[in-house]
Amino acid sequence: MKQTATIFSVKRFAVHDGDGIRTTVFFKGCPLRCTWCHNPEGLAATPQLAYYAHKCLSCGECVAACKSGAHRIEKGLHHYEKEACTACGACEDSCLGNALAFFGRRMTVAALLPTLLEDIDFYRSSGGGVTLSGGECLCQADFCAALLRELKAADIHTAVDTCGFVPRAALDQVMPYTDIFLYDLKAVDEEVHQACTGRSNKQILENLAYLDACGKTIEIRIPYVPGYNDGEIEKMAKLLSPMKQVRRVRVLPYHNYAGSKYTALGLAHTLPPTLPTAEAIAAAEACLRAYGLHV
Ligand code: SF4
Ligand code: SF4
């Protein structure tokens, strides 16, 4: 229980991260670099401060809170120097304008559990539970296994949302305490996957086949991104249709709401320009259904 993980958010009453009402724990660090990533605060494994300049009131409260001199007021205006920031998190609560957001608190299982147990009645009445997500939660697999074990001891439904680009041993660690894997699938074609995520999909496809062979319940989640992986749907349908444990496939339309987070974190924008149409999503879903998949 003394083990710690770096966590950037705990979201209660989540309804898009598995069945029912859930609490989702977002872990820092991801091995992929999807161009459309909507959680850029989850990419780096280490803590980060985001600064939303448009919200800043230039009140100067953060100047006293920061021992590293990353904040200063000059001629009545606030300046933030990212290079000086050591990501200690001390300034976040001082900010009167909610212009500062700190991502990446170190937490123990014992510190996290009370929040996760708080909504147990809602989990029971809605068929929900707790989802581990990210980033890639299985980059911190020891902690995930310890946390999931506690959740199962409390008879809570558990879901692990993974990109699959993880060592087989990480899956083995969490498998006994995981009710369902929410498995992200971006492309079947190796070159397309490389272009979309910067990484090979070999390990991802092997791990998916492994989970299926192990008899673990799987929900596939396909981010649909025009100009990137929209030509992959039928290949995915062919790959998934023979699998025994894929109980559902979800097509997730790409959105670009995360733009301001990239700016606030000082990251280069990678978000694709084109949003999918409702017709394109419907056609993708129809294609998957045509292969006998529950969409
Ligand atoms: S996170 Fe810490 S080091 Fe960075 S600006 Fe805030 S107080 Fe300063
Ligand atoms: S405390 Fe927040 S609102 Fe005030 S100057 Fe600092 S960043 Fe801006």
Side-chain angles (χ1 to χ4, degrees), residues 280-295:
I281 297 296
E285 290 176 341
C287 175
L288 293 159
R289 281 195 195 97
Y291 281 82
L293 295 159
H294 176 53
V295 181

Side-chain angles (χ1 to χ4, degrees), residues 49 62 65-71 80 84-92 102:
L49 183 75
C62 53
C66 179
K67 295 199 175 15
S68 306
H71 298 286
Y80 167 59
C85 174
T86 58
C88 70
C91 60
E92 184 188 35
F102 184 67

Side-chain angles (χ1 to χ4, degrees), residues 21 36 63 197 229 279:
I21 295 171
W36 54 77
V63 177
T197 71
N229 68 347
E279 291 75 22

Side-chain angles (χ1 to χ4, degrees), residues 51 55-62 71 73 78 94-97 99-100:
Y51 169 55
K55 293 186 180 177
C56 177
L57 309 171
S58 289
C59 66
E61 293 292 323
C62 53
H71 298 286
I73 298 286
H78 169 260
S94 71
C95 181
L96 300 182
L100 302 174

Side-chain angles (χ1 to χ4, degrees), residues 118-268:
E118 214 163 314
D119 295 329
I120 199 161
D121 291 343
F122 292 107
Y123 306 156
R124 299 257 192 275
S125 61
S126 68
V130 172
T131 299
L132 308 193
S133 183
E136 172 51 58
C137 60
L138 294 184
C139 288
Q140 303 181 69
D142 292 349
F143 183 95
C144 288
L147 177 60
L148 291 164
R149 190 167 49 234
E150 294 295 327
L151 292 167
K152 288 318 298 174
D155 197 24
I156 290 174
H157 183 271
T158 56
V160 168
D161 184 357
T162 179
C163 73
F165 194 87
V166 294
R168 177 73 50 86
L171 295 177
D172 288 336
Q173 264 181 289
V174 298
M175 210 184 290
Y177 318 110
T178 303
D179 292 310
I180 184 169
F181 283 88
L182 309 177
Y183 205 94
D184 303 342
L185 190 58
K186 279 105 182 184
V188 174
D189 183 273
E190 166 73 10
E191 276 181 32
V192 173
H193 197 275
Q194 286 271 6
C196 290
T197 71
R199 302 284 188 274
S200 165
N201 63 1
K202 185 169 179 288
Q203 190 177 26
I204 293 169
L205 299 182
E206 284 174 3
N207 279 338
L208 176 57
Y210 176 67
L211 285 179
D212 191 57
C214 289
K216 292 307 296 187
T217 306
I218 302 164
E219 177 178 299
I220 298 291
R221 300 160 81 85
I222 302 171
Y224 184 94
V225 190
Y228 284 81
N229 68 347
D230 47 350
E232 291 292 297
I233 298 297
E234 185 158 16
K235 288 177 229 168
M236 294 191 204
K238 285 179 180 164
L239 174 84
L240 296 171
S241 68
M243 292 191 174
K244 302 262 184 303
Q245 306 302 332
V246 175
R247 75 152 198 198
R248 185 163 61 197
V249 182
R250 279 186 196 275
V251 180
L252 309 174
Y254 158 65
H255 64 73
N256 58 6
Y257 307 150
S260 65
K261 282 197 270 187
Y262 280 84
T263 308
L265 289 162
L267 299 174

